[in-house]
Amino acid sequence: MIQVENLVFQYPGNDGPTLKGLDFSIAKGEIFGFLGPSGAGKSTAQKVLYKILEGYKGQVNIDGKNLSEWNNSYFERIGVGFELPNHYLKLTGKENLELFAAFYPNGKKHNSTELFEMVDLADAMDKPVETYSKGMKMRLNFIRAIQHDPDILFFDEPTSGLDPVNAHKIKQHILDLKNHGKTIFVTTHSMETADGICDRVSFIVDGKLVLTDTPRNLKSRYGKEAVKVDLKNGQSEEFPLKDLGVNPQFLEFLKQDEVKRIHTLEATLEEVFIRVTGKSLGDE
Amino acid sequence: MKKIFKLAFTDFKLIFRDPSLRSFLVLPVILFALIIWAVPPLIEKYAILAPYLSLFLVVGVIENTQMFSFISSMVLIDEKESDVAKVYGVVPLNKMEYVLSRFLIPYLFTVVLNLVLLFVQNICDLSVGAIMLISFLAALVVPVYALAINSMVQNRMQGMVYIKAFNMLVLIPVAAFFVPEKFVHLFGVFPTHWVFQAIDKATQNLSIGLFAAIGFVFFLSLLWFVSRTFVQKHFV
């Protein structure tokens, strides 16, 4: 669906390029994530793909057609969830949504009331956006991005500014979109978001892609394929996952006391990121 | 067309819901009151003002354009500052359609204000043709002004500074009325000079065709240039 080869982009006036030769592809129905610290080039890459930034070098194909050859119809096929809330504060949530809905053909559009209900904003849809909290505005960002039922979705830090409950709901909605065949490109510096929703992630640092794989592969490749068992008596031991169910030492150890905790020793995405890139996701 | 009217209608909602912008809508009323009721008694009382009749109209016409120049500039600056402009960059709306939708109504509204002002004033006798030409020409200040400002500024604070500067810039060619004849058209580098000269000729019942033509070419060229600059910067 999306193929990117040797993508280079430099902002006018900057000394060097922000994107330094990115290669990646996103299959139809896949959730693909860019994981990296602020300033790594995540949002810039998305902006090139949704045609806000021009003057890039390299090849970007959408459905086999060069991005530059797509006309305005491209914008009917994509939806963009921006990193920060961007709405007319003097208009109500519903007026904001309906204003931008007016630019799309009628056929595929979702019912606006249902969208507000979906993100628990039904009570606030007729109130001016200036009365919304940041989390409410972010949820409005989300439904604005999906209201015309686009095939390709770009979400820039989709859970930023949301409380844990709403962040979970938005992640669930993104997974639902994937289940409906949507192709989704997410950028985030939240390991939890990337791990929770992405089929594949790329680590991006200083405008370069360092590693691309599924979160599961990354975590197991850079962690231990083992479990650690903690007993209530304070004993603790590690056992390999292979043949765990028939491992006599493991079975014997379980009999020694009540089990307090059993957990796998796979690495978190953040640990993998730090080991691979030498940088933390919080780095500027 | 539906998109254009939707956006234009939204602009009016934004204006009426913002007290600072809404208050600017009374500006033309004040201006009309001054031109209709305050200026004629002044001219009658002070004969020294008689040679400057056209100046009253020049100021009246240009101030008429300032209402929507300010309002449109502020609406777009707010849009830029709040990042709403970025949303327009990713919807299926042609960028020139966007520009047209933001300025068609303010432009036509300003044309109507100028028509009303020039028809109801009783300072000078003007032909219908001249009134029409001057009204359509002078209203072009609105899109050029707002697009130029929005090609340069990033936020409200910068916007206010530039608006102050532009308010002075549009009036600078008034100085042409006070310099020797051979220096008058040195002010032609300012587009409003040609509007002012057209008004001056109209008050003398002379042909305004040449000045109006230069004015239209100047304004439309500027409009093309600032629209392109604006489109490159506004949605990023």
Side-chain angles (χ1 to χ4, degrees):
Chain A
M1 188 110 195
I2 298 174
Q3 282 97 30
V4 177
E5 286 172 25
N6 198 24
L7 176 62
V8 176
F9 180 81
Q10 180 167 346
Y11 284 101
N14 277 14
D15 292 337
T18 301
L19 304 178
K20 300 166 184 167
L22 306 187
D23 290 288
F24 62 94
S25 63
I26 309 175
K28 182 172 165 48
E30 182 182 28
I31 303 181
F32 180 78
F34 264 9
L35 188 62
S38 303
K42 306 186 298 288
S43 303
T44 302
Q46 275 202 344
K47 284 178 186 170
V48 169
L49 263 64
Y50 56 69
K51 291 190 83 170
I52 278 281
L53 293 179
E54 291 175 344
Y56 62 88
K57 289 176 189 161
Q59 191 76 13
V60 179
N61 286 322
I62 310 291
D63 265 355
K65 186 172 165 181
N66 196 300
L67 183 63
S68 60
E69 291 168 15
W70 281 94
N71 58 16
N72 255 3
S73 66
Y74 180 61
F75 297 114
E76 291 175 16
R77 297 196 58 196
I78 67 166
V80 179
F82 292 91
E83 180 182 5
L84 295 171
N86 45 359
H87 309 286
Y88 287 115
L89 300 180
K90 297 285 177 194
L91 300 184
T92 66
K94 194 174 181 186
E95 284 171 336
N96 266 283
L97 202 67
E98 289 179 348
L99 166 64
F100 290 103
F103 301 126
Y104 298 96
N106 280 326
K108 286 166 74 186
K109 274 184 276 186
H110 291 294
N111 177 285
S112 62
T113 307
E114 286 173 12
L115 288 171
F116 278 100
E117 283 167 358
M118 186 181 99
V119 292
D120 299 329
L121 282 178
D123 292 342
M125 63 190 250
D126 292 318
K127 291 179 182 161
V129 173
E130 62 190 350
T131 65
Y132 284 25
S133 67
K134 188 187 175 193
M136 292 163 81
K137 289 176 192 164
M138 284 304 291
R139 282 179 275 157
L140 184 56
N141 263 22
F142 180 78
I143 57 175
R144 186 181 60 202
I146 66 169
Q147 67 172 333
H148 53 290
D149 196 23
D151 301 324
I152 303 170
L153 283 148
F154 298 95
F155 292 117
D156 193 357
E157 304 286 358
T159 54
S160 143
L162 295 177
D163 61 75
V165 174
N166 279 305
H168 175 77
K169 283 183 182 173
I170 290 296
K171 283 189 276 187
Q172 206 52 51
H173 289 312
I174 293 175
L175 289 170
D176 287 344
L177 289 165
K178 168 193 156 65
N179 292 335
H180 283 89
K182 308 299 178 190
T183 305
I184 302 167
F185 183 11
V186 176
T187 68
T188 182
H189 67 267
S190 160
M191 173 272 298
E192 210 182 322
T193 301
D195 197 9
I197 62 174
C198 292
D199 295 313
R200 286 187 306 137
V201 294
S202 272
F203 292 166
I204 180 169
V205 179
D206 297 332
K208 290 179 187 164
L209 294 185
V210 182
L211 186 66
T212 303
D213 209 335
T214 64
R216 177 178 290 273
N217 284 350
L218 289 171
K219 288 186 294 184
S220 61
R221 197 192 316 169
Y222 288 88
K224 272 186 183 172
E225 294 205 336
V227 288
K228 188 177 182 188
V229 183
D230 299 325
L231 300 181
K232 282 215 166 163
N233 64 12
Q235 280 185 285
S236 181
E237 207 160 316
E238 291 178 16
F239 301 93
L241 279 176
K242 190 171 166 47
D243 301 326
L244 184 66
V246 292
N247 182 336
Q249 286 101 345
F250 171 70
L251 298 171
E252 191 56 37
F253 186 74
L254 292 181
K255 289 176 190 165
Q256 290 183 20
D257 199 3
E258 201 177 329
V259 175
K260 186 179 175 189
R261 185 170 52 184
I262 300 179
H263 55 100
T264 60
L265 293 177
E266 68 179 9
T268 65
L269 265 188
E270 185 156 21
E271 286 164 350
V272 179
F273 188 89
I274 292 167
R275 278 182 63 184
V276 172
T277 67
K279 293 185 181 252
S280 142
L281 285 168
D283 284 350
E284 287 299 315
Chain B
M1 211 55 181
K2 187 185 139 202
K3 295 175 187 175
I4 289 174
F5 281 110
K6 178 82 182 172
L7 203 43
F9 181 62
T10 300
D11 277 350
F12 275 91
K13 270 190 196 168
L14 293 170
I15 293 164
F16 279 101
R17 289 182 194 178
D18 186 330
S20 61
L21 296 182
R22 195 171 52 213
S23 61
F24 265 80
L25 294 173
V26 300
L27 193 69
V29 179
I30 297 169
L31 196 65
F32 287 178
L34 286 173
I35 294 286
I36 296 165
W37 290 301
V39 172
L42 273 179
I43 294 168
E44 208 168 295
K45 190 169 180 185
Y46 302 104
I48 194 171
L49 295 175
Y52 303 106
L53 290 182
S54 56
L55 267 181
F56 286 106
L57 284 189
V58 159
V59 173
V61 166
I62 213 66
E63 287 307 315
N64 242 348
T65 66
Q66 294 305 286
M67 176 185 74
F68 267 113
S69 295
F70 176 80
I71 290 175
S72 294
S73 298
M74 293 313 287
V75 167
L76 290 181
I77 289 169
D78 267 352
E79 199 171 281
K80 179 89 180 164
E81 201 172 29
S82 61
D83 275 346
V84 178
K86 287 181 181 171
V87 188
Y88 288 105
V90 297
V91 296
L93 176 72
N94 180 295
K95 302 299 176 284
M96 283 303 164
E97 267 182 337
Y98 169 87
V99 171
L100 186 66
S101 65
R102 298 325 279 265
F103 290 105
L104 185 63
I105 305 293
Y107 173 72
L108 292 176
F109 210 94
T110 307
V111 169
V112 171
L113 288 177
N114 278 335
L115 287 172
V116 172
L117 178 81
L118 294 174
F119 274 117
V120 301
Q121 59 80 28
N122 47 11
I123 304 169
C124 309
D125 285 330
L126 300 174
S127 69
V128 172
I131 288 175
M132 300 289 282
L133 272 177
I134 291 165
S135 298
F136 278 95
L137 174 61
L140 286 171
V141 169
V142 175
V144 170
Y145 181 117
L147 288 170
I149 283 179
N150 276 278
S151 299
M152 291 184 270
V153 309
Q154 291 295 325
N155 54 52
R156 220 170 224 262
M157 189 58 83
Q158 282 180 358
M160 294 306 287
V161 173
Y162 276 81
I163 283 170
K164 277 279 174 205
F166 271 59
N167 284 348
M168 286 190 278
L169 276 179
V170 295
L171 281 170
I172 282 178
V174 166
F177 289 88
F178 303 96
V179 297
E181 185 68 30
K182 60 183 177 182
F183 297 127
V184 165
H185 294 309
L186 287 179
F187 291 91
V189 292
F190 299 97
T192 46
H193 171 75
W194 305 103
V195 182
F196 296 176
Q197 291 303 310
I199 293 172
D200 188 44
K201 293 292 170 286
T203 59
Q204 299 168 44
N205 283 320
L206 299 172
S207 166
I208 69 164
L210 178 63
F211 292 135
I214 295 172
F216 273 112
V217 171
F218 199 158
F219 267 106
L220 292 174
S221 306
L222 266 180
L223 189 56
W224 178 81
F225 176 73
V226 292
S227 298
R228 281 174 61 90
T229 314
F230 171 83
V231 162
Q232 281 165 7
K233 293 186 170 178
H234 191 63
F235 308 102
V236 178

